[in-house]
Amino acid sequence: MSSTPTPPFTEIKASCACTQLSLSLSLPTSDLPLPLHFCHCTTCRHVSGLLCTSLITISTKGNPLHIHGTPQAYRPSPALTRYFCPTCGTHLYQSPASLDEIHISTGALDRAAGIVARTGTHRFVGDTQDGGLWEWVRDMPAFDRSVASAAIPPDKYHTPSEAAPGPALLPCSCHCGGVQFTLARPLPGSTFPPFTIQPENVSWPSPGSSGKYVAKLCACASCRRSAGYDVAAWAYVPLAYLRQRSGAAMGFGVGTLRQYRSSEGAWRDFCGVCGANVFWHGSERRDVVDVSVGLLGAGRGARAEGWVEWLRGVSYVEDAEGREWVGRLDEGMRATREEKRVDE
């Protein structure tokens, strides 16, 4: 009697930046690649610190999940538990309470090729008020709420940048509230220390002229792995412009902040309770820190364009595991900047 041949399987692995936490499971190769989905909801932005999260969904029925290490659990609602590394802050996966499935963070995957589809859907874009990151990558279907809602028309949220000036102080916080601070608007005529943002040299605009900070999307391997998602979103802010809610000077050990040295002379700070990415700072520019844009409570839009001026394109596209969609994001961001220059 001949036996039924076993279908080929593909092992899926994901791990954190410090490698103390990882997961693995195997899926029939015929089930791959898996659709990519982006969540723009307010919770995801403040839990991650990013403009949106990037995930793949995998059924755990008949697909045993193996966890190596001890994750930190955070439950933002009774419907979902998120798991991140308590040492480096990488968001590895999340688990819905009522479904036999998990959502794996695509930035934590050891390999995305052949596992993650080159396209997907944008969900809960309505929470952003301005379209969020979808503004720059509109070649995927988008929905104000879940995929059960009506698809968003391509021209929705396509609005010019919010002009400064505005409030003098901007409240910022992670989802659990363990890390809270304010961001002061640059004073007229103020200047920042110039420095080089790799991989390309960019001119450092005077914040006094625009009343805004410089912001950048980054897909470098370190940011991707440390966050657990494909693209980080940073605003470059002098430390002196950050204050605790009490008015005291902001430091890297306040509230529920934890610190991880991601490379020589570079540190990342995240909330030890909810896992939100908060700061990046390095020894080569001690007075200027990177602040996660997803934590900014701008009120009028997730891109916070009343407070930041986005530089063209995505840094380190060549490092991206999801290089196809990140490449399209890079192109869309550059095209949108050109459109706004023409409009101006």
Side-chain angles (χ1 to χ4, degrees), residues 79-239:
L80 186 74
T81 303
R82 299 168 184 263
Y83 298 91
F84 64 94
C85 176
T87 300
C88 64
T90 301
H91 286 255
L92 201 62
Y93 71 103
Q94 54 194 44
S95 177
S98 60
L99 300 173
D100 294 321
E101 65 183 33
I102 61 166
H103 306 156
I104 297 179
S105 305
T106 56
L109 290 170
D110 291 356
R111 176 175 67 88
I115 294 172
V116 182
R118 62 187 301 272
T119 189
T121 57
H122 290 261
R123 308 175 185 186
F124 293 92
V125 177
D127 280 15
T128 69
Q129 300 185 56
D130 62 1
L133 182 139
W134 184 62
E135 164 78 2
W136 302 312
V137 59
R138 290 175 175 253
D139 60 348
M140 302 183 195
F143 305 86
D144 272 337
R145 304 300 296 169
S146 68
V147 291
S149 61
I152 299 173
D155 58 345
K156 188 173 183 180
Y157 301 117
H158 197 75
T159 56
S161 300
E162 177 189 345
L169 292 176
L170 182 66
C172 309
S173 71
C174 65
H175 186 265
C176 72
V179 180
Q180 300 186 45
F181 56 94
T182 60
L183 176 61
R185 190 176 291 282
L187 296 173
S190 59
T191 58
F192 292 171
F195 62 90
T196 299
I197 303 173
Q198 297 295 336
E200 58 188 355
N201 292 332
V202 298
S203 60
W204 191 254
S206 168
S209 61
S210 66
K212 299 179 182 181
Y213 295 100
V214 174
K216 184 75 171 178
L217 296 183
C218 184
C220 79
S222 182
C223 281
R224 170 175 52 82
R225 185 72 76 170
S226 295
Y229 303 110
D230 286 351
V231 179
W234 299 111
Y236 303 101
V237 181
L239 184 59

Side-chain angles (χ1 to χ4, degrees), residues 241-288:
Y241 284 68
L242 300 173
R243 292 283 170 178
Q244 298 180 53
R245 290 288 180 91
S246 65
M250 189 65 192
F252 299 123
V254 304
T256 54
L257 277 177
R258 292 181 185 172
Q259 192 170 100
Y260 170 68
R261 191 176 76 167
S262 56
S263 62
E264 186 66 31
W267 293 267
R268 295 175 184 272
D269 300 86
F270 64 96
C271 175
V273 175
C274 67
N277 290 269
V278 182
F279 302 126
W280 181 98
H281 53 106
S283 56
E284 84 274 13
R285 49 178 173 92
R286 298 179 183 276
D287 296 329
V288 178

Side-chain angles (χ1 to χ4, degrees), residues 316-332:
Y316 297 99
V317 175
E318 66 277 9
D319 278 8
E321 272 294 327
R323 194 169 302 172
E324 291 212 22
W325 90 261
V326 175
R328 300 199 306 276
L329 170 65
D330 177 70
E331 293 171 1

